[in-house]
Amino acid sequence: MTNAFPSGCHLIQLCVKGDERGQLVAIEGTSEVPFAIARVYYVFATAPDAIRGFHAHRALNQLAVPVAGSCTMVLDDGRGRISVPLDKPAVGLTIGPMIWHEMSDFSSDCVLMVLANAAYDEGDYIRSYGEFLALART
Ligand code: TYD
């Protein structure tokens, strides 16, 4: 493990509009997210001890936001790994292309929302860690 975030990966503080009624985060256009949003998906009701991900994307950019609960994201650029706790509903983690990522430690109430800059495309996935390492190190 390392302390450095890999290229294309960083934490983003989203703007929270709060008042005595509670909190609200709005994500609009490219003002909050560093890419145009083409897709939103979210994982929830994750099984205890489940580990998700285990892939990298060739070109996709994503922003993962734990809108409820918490989980851990491991990021791997082929040279080192960093483990990032995701536990604040107004702090998202960008995941750039060619980053192997694994998600674990899901709290039972975790809802992990992911914004992406392209439609789902299985051809963009690298699901073999060996293939990922070979590509990442070239
Ligand atoms: P999968 O890639 O295994 O999820 P994770 O990376 O969280 O482990 O995706 C699970 C299933 O959902 C798989 O059949 C592909 C499908 N899927 C879509 O249809 N659209 C999407 O946007 C995503 C992310 C997955």
Side-chain angles (χ1 to χ4, degrees), residues 22-132:
Q23 310 300 323
L24 183 152
V25 170
I27 299 173
E28 184 174 325
T30 54
S31 60
E32 298 274 337
V33 182
F35 53 77
I37 300 162
R39 174 167 54 113
V40 177
Y41 65 91
Y42 49 94
V43 296
F44 64 102
T46 306
D49 303 326
I51 306 180
R52 302 197 63 126
F54 285 101
H55 62 253
H57 290 281
R58 299 175 196 278
L60 191 69
N61 283 283
Q62 302 191 94
L63 175 72
V65 184
V67 293
S70 61
C71 64
T72 300
M73 183 81 72
V74 167
L75 305 170
D76 179 339
D77 64 0
R79 292 181 294 277
R81 290 191 154 212
I82 183 170
S83 180
V84 183
L86 296 179
D87 55 9
K88 297 178 183 67
V91 177
L93 173 67
T94 60
I95 306 167
M98 292 303 297
I99 300 294
W100 186 267
H101 49 285
E102 302 170 5
M103 293 154 275
S104 61
D105 304 330
F106 288 90
S107 62
S108 58
D109 61 343
C110 183
V111 180
L112 182 65
M113 179 181 73
V114 183
L115 314 178
N117 74 332
Y120 176 75
D121 173 12
E122 185 58 34
D124 186 62
Y125 280 71
I126 303 167
R127 293 193 183 273
S128 155
Y129 189 64
E131 181 187 358
F132 165 73

